[in-house]
Amino acid sequence: MAASFTSSLSSTFSSLSLRRFSLLPTHQLPNSLSLPKPLNFPSIRAQSTDIDTTYFDNVDPDEITTFDPPEKPEDFIPPPSFDDGPQESEDEIAAAYEELYGPAYSGVSVLGNDVYVMDSKVKKTTSFGKIKKDKVRDGFDERVVQVRRVTKVVKGGKQLHFRAVVVVGDKKGQVGVGVGKAKEVVSAVQKSATNARRNIITVPMTKYLTFPHRADGDYGAAKVMLRPASPGTGVIAGGAVRIVLEMAGVENALGKQLGSNNALNNARATVVAVQQMRQFSEVARDRGIPMEELWK
């Protein structure tokens, strides 16, 4: 009974499978013997290596070898230990660091680029949460030209600040004009002094401490006229022009402000006029003639 039932089921399934495959098109009939063609991958062949390994044939990896250093010569002197040498000073250590990593910024700059940054020599004391900085001793004297109150209108009202104009100079031909703003007068003066050190110029002067020739300069609406003077004349000028000339070390000169009375613009116009001046040696070198020819 069971055998006849099993045979009937197998015959039924075979007939169903044949009927199913007969319904398919002839080009879609499955072929149990046909396999999908392999993809056309490039054939990988074992590449022959030209590496010569004869050097490693005579080496036994399990063999224990000992290090046999060469003998020291008779006149060999061992170098001194690092700790036995003399102690280096801070300047020598700083020079070694500069040689390796380039020049370090010590905080003392000729142009005055933030002279308080990384300057260990400046003493800083705190007072009510604020840092007080001592005056930098770099050979430049400071002279306050003008301090004005300025207001800025904002959404909540007006903000009061102070603007200071300061002239710095060594009275040996170096002078600079700077301006700074802050909520306090002292901070504004310090900012303007730092800004003035960033704008140092050289004033050409003769042995009589006067200008080599006359020059005119203008900045904005301010115009300044500068003229050389004979020894004993003094600085005949007023306002910001006089302060700039005195801080530069000029002792005999004539100056005149033309146009605006703005102190900052007149000071900068004086700097512009000074920058236009040239020494007789520079002109003679550029023209290719001796200096005696310029005096004829």
Side-chain angles (χ1 to χ4, degrees):
M1 181 72 180
S4 61
F5 181 73
T6 306
S7 61
S8 62
L9 283 175
S10 62
S11 62
T12 304
F13 282 125
S14 62
S15 62
L16 287 174
S17 61
L18 291 175
R19 189 178 302 173
R20 177 187 175 188
F21 288 129
S22 64
L23 294 177
L24 295 173
T26 55
H27 65 277
Q28 293 184 2
L29 289 176
N31 189 1
S32 60
L33 299 178
S34 63
L35 296 176
K37 294 182 179 180
L39 298 176
N40 295 327
F41 289 109
S43 60
I44 302 174
R45 298 180 181 179
Q47 299 179 358
S48 61
T49 58
D50 298 335
I51 301 175
D52 187 10
T53 59
T54 57
Y55 175 79
F56 301 99
D57 294 343
N58 300 328
V59 178
D60 187 6
D62 299 332
E63 183 181 359
I64 299 175
T65 59
T66 58
F67 176 68
D68 188 11
E71 297 181 358
K72 299 179 181 179
E74 297 179 355
D75 55 349
F76 174 76
I77 300 175
S81 176
F82 179 78
D83 298 330
D84 297 340
Q87 292 291 336
E88 296 179 341
S89 62
E90 295 184 359
D91 296 337
E92 293 177 352
I93 296 174
Y97 269 99
E98 288 186 1
E99 185 176 356
L100 290 174
Y101 305 107
Y105 181 61
S106 61
V108 180
S109 176
V110 178
L111 299 180
N113 295 324
D114 199 356
V115 294
Y116 299 116
V117 177
M118 295 176 59
D119 191 356
S120 60
K121 299 180 182 179
V122 177
K123 297 180 181 179
K124 300 179 181 180
T125 57
T126 58
S127 174
F128 300 103
K130 299 179 182 179
I131 298 177
K132 293 183 179 180
K133 303 173 184 178
D134 295 343
K135 186 178 294 185
V136 182
R137 299 180 180 178
D138 54 357
F140 287 96
D141 297 333
E142 301 176 4
R143 184 83 66 84
V144 179
V145 178
Q146 186 185 59
V147 176
R148 296 182 62 182
R149 291 185 302 174
V150 293
T151 56
K152 179 180 179 181
V153 180
V154 295
K155 185 177 180 180
K158 294 182 179 181
Q159 292 182 353
L160 179 64
H161 291 77
F162 293 94
R163 188 195 74 170
V165 180
V166 176
V167 177
V168 299
D170 58 355
K171 298 183 179 180
K172 296 180 182 178
Q174 303 287 330
V175 69
V177 179
V179 61
K181 299 177 183 178
K183 294 184 178 180
E184 297 179 0
V185 177
V186 177
S187 301
V189 171
Q190 290 179 353
K191 283 185 178 181
S192 56
T194 304
N195 181 255
R197 284 180 170 86
R198 295 175 181 173
N199 303 307
I200 297 294
I201 65 167
T202 302
V203 180
M205 292 187 294
T206 63
K207 63 179 181 179
Y208 301 110
L209 299 179
T210 186
F211 300 127
H213 57 85
R214 58 178 61 189
D216 298 333
D218 58 341
Y219 190 92
K223 298 181 180 179
V224 172
M225 177 182 63
L226 299 180
R227 299 291 184 267
S230 59
T233 305
V235 178
I236 301 178
V241 180
R242 183 184 185 88
I243 297 177
V244 172
L245 297 182
E246 288 180 352
M247 298 302 292
V250 179
E251 295 184 1
N252 303 297
L254 303 175
K256 179 68 176 177
Q257 296 181 4
L258 303 174
S260 175
N261 290 327
N262 187 284
L264 177 60
N265 285 354
N266 279 300
R268 289 179 173 174
T270 306
V271 172
V272 171
V274 166
Q275 288 179 326
Q276 296 177 358
M277 297 181 183
R278 302 171 65 189
Q279 293 283 14
F280 285 93
S281 57
E282 298 177 6
V283 178
R285 183 175 61 254
D286 295 342
R287 295 176 60 182
I289 59 176
M291 289 185 57
E292 292 77 8
E293 295 291 334
L294 296 177
W295 298 99
K296 293 183 179 180

